[in-house]
Amino acid sequence: MKRLILAVSLLCSSALAHADLKVFACEPEWGSLAQTIGGEKVSVYNATTGLQDPHHIEGRPSLIAQVRNADLLVCTGAELEIGWLPILLQKSGNAKVQDGQPGSFMAAQQVQLLHIPVKVERSDGDVHADGNPHIQTDPRRIAQVAKALTERMAQLDSANAAHYQQGYANFNTRWQQALQGWANKTASLRGTPIVVHHKSWVYLQDWLGLQEVATLEPKPGIPPTTAHLTNVLQQLQTTPAKFVLHSAYENPRSAQWLSGKAGIPVVMLPSTVGGTPAATDLFTLFDDIIQRLTSVQG
């Protein structure tokens, strides 16, 4: 009897281990999405937090070890992680998650990108050749990524394909309802002129109809300078803005300086899950973003 119980126990353990899809997520939004779709069938490791700039991450040995053991790598792509992901992939030696393999999933490849440059030159700053990679600030694009990610998870773990498809169906039902609610709450924001720290909100702007009139960075990825901020202040005299927007991981000092000089408020937004205490998953991420935008509007 004991042998039978042991055999059944080992069989169950083996099945659970096989069913467990190990996901390495470059950014928290994709980790949250994979966890929501996969539930108990996946284990997720997030390489970054909501308070880190995903452009600049150190390729630590602990990250290499996580990539080495991953079945599925979920990242933004479009060169967002170009400074650190290639090193992790090379040193991990994990053939399953290399570029072009089923275990490599790039969210930016599932949606239409904005701000695709005609040409890329180093003098233009931190410009991405494939287009702006900050797609996670548009919930419509997240819906597209969710569908594609579900198909990839089902492909890699076919034994649990029905589970992933059901997880996606549940998510999408809730997401479409949330989208309608968010649209109702943000209708008055359309056309609002804003200043942004970095061009990390172009997809949010596209979704809500916000109008960017200036950036605090003189060029993408180049820190604000006194001369540039002075020019922006002068520009606002003829082209006013309602508020200054910056991410939770960005130094607020430049935004606060412009706010004080121009007499407009600063709005700090979480750019991903974990960017603020309230943004604990994708739903609360957009709840918090909208609450912060509409509250400053008055």
Side-chain angles (χ1 to χ4, degrees):
M1 186 62 181
K2 288 183 178 178
R3 289 182 178 178
L4 178 60
I5 294 174
L6 178 61
V8 171
S9 176
L10 289 174
L11 183 62
C12 290
S13 297
S14 175
L16 288 173
H18 177 72
D20 194 12
L21 192 67
K22 297 182 180 65
V23 177
F24 179 97
C26 287
E27 290 83 26
E29 63 269 22
W30 309 132
S32 180
L33 185 59
Q35 191 70 71
T36 301
I37 294 169
E40 74 276 8
K41 301 299 184 183
V42 302
S43 61
V44 175
Y45 179 84
N46 289 318
T48 59
T49 75
L51 299 178
Q52 288 180 294
D53 183 346
H55 296 90
H56 307 292
I57 300 298
E58 182 183 355
R60 304 187 307 276
S62 59
L63 295 181
I64 295 170
Q66 291 292 339
V67 174
R68 183 175 297 127
N69 294 321
D71 301 308
L72 173 61
L73 182 138
V74 184
C75 298
T76 298
E79 299 183 345
L80 179 64
E81 306 95 350
I82 195 171
W84 52 281
L85 184 57
I87 297 173
L88 300 186
L89 289 171
Q90 179 187 11
K91 292 187 177 297
S92 74
N94 184 349
K96 294 186 297 184
V97 299
Q98 300 297 317
D99 289 346
Q101 296 302 310
S104 174
F105 181 91
M106 296 296 157
Q109 294 178 355
Q110 318 307 321
V111 301
Q112 181 181 4
L113 298 185
L114 302 177
H115 289 197
I116 299 174
V118 176
K119 61 179 181 178
V120 177
E121 297 181 355
R122 292 181 63 86
S123 59
D124 293 331
D126 189 13
V127 177
H128 301 276
D130 293 335
N132 191 300
H134 302 288
I135 62 172
Q136 84 284 359
T137 60
D138 181 352
R140 301 168 304 180
R141 285 174 166 84
I142 285 185
Q144 294 176 284
V145 174
K147 187 173 188 299
L149 180 58
T150 301
E151 293 171 356
R152 187 65 60 86
M153 293 167 72
Q155 176 187 353
L156 291 173
D157 183 15
S158 58
N160 288 310
H163 174 83
Y164 299 133
Q165 289 158 0
Q166 185 60 56
Y168 166 72
N170 294 341
F171 165 80
N172 194 49
T173 297
R174 290 181 59 206
W175 197 249
Q176 295 304 321
Q177 292 172 347
L179 267 172
Q180 186 57 55
W182 294 328
N184 294 338
K185 291 179 180 177
T186 57
S188 61
L189 288 172
R190 190 158 295 278
T192 299
I194 63 171
V195 177
V196 299
H197 183 112
H198 176 70
K199 285 186 174 294
S200 52
W201 303 103
V202 296
Y203 296 96
L204 182 76
Q205 294 164 210
D206 181 63
W207 173 45
L208 297 180
L210 300 171
Q211 300 298 315
E212 177 189 307
V213 299
T215 61
L216 300 184
E217 293 179 339
K219 294 180 180 178
I222 306 299
T225 63
T226 300
H228 179 70
L229 291 176
T230 301
N231 289 337
V232 171
L233 180 61
Q234 292 176 345
Q235 177 186 338
L236 293 184
Q237 293 177 359
T238 54
T239 311
K242 292 292 186 181
F243 51 81
V244 189
L245 204 59
H246 73 89
S247 299
Y249 62 78
E250 291 169 337
N251 189 326
R253 188 168 57 184
S254 297
Q256 291 169 349
W257 180 89
L258 186 66
S259 170
K261 297 292 183 183
I264 56 177
V266 173
V267 182
M268 185 278 285
L269 294 183
S271 60
T272 184
V273 174
T276 60
T280 57
D281 59 25
L282 287 168
F283 289 91
T284 53
L285 167 66
F286 284 97
D287 286 342
D288 195 31
I289 286 174
I290 290 168
Q291 190 278 329
R292 289 168 182 267
L293 288 175
T294 53
S295 63
V296 76
Q297 188 185 33

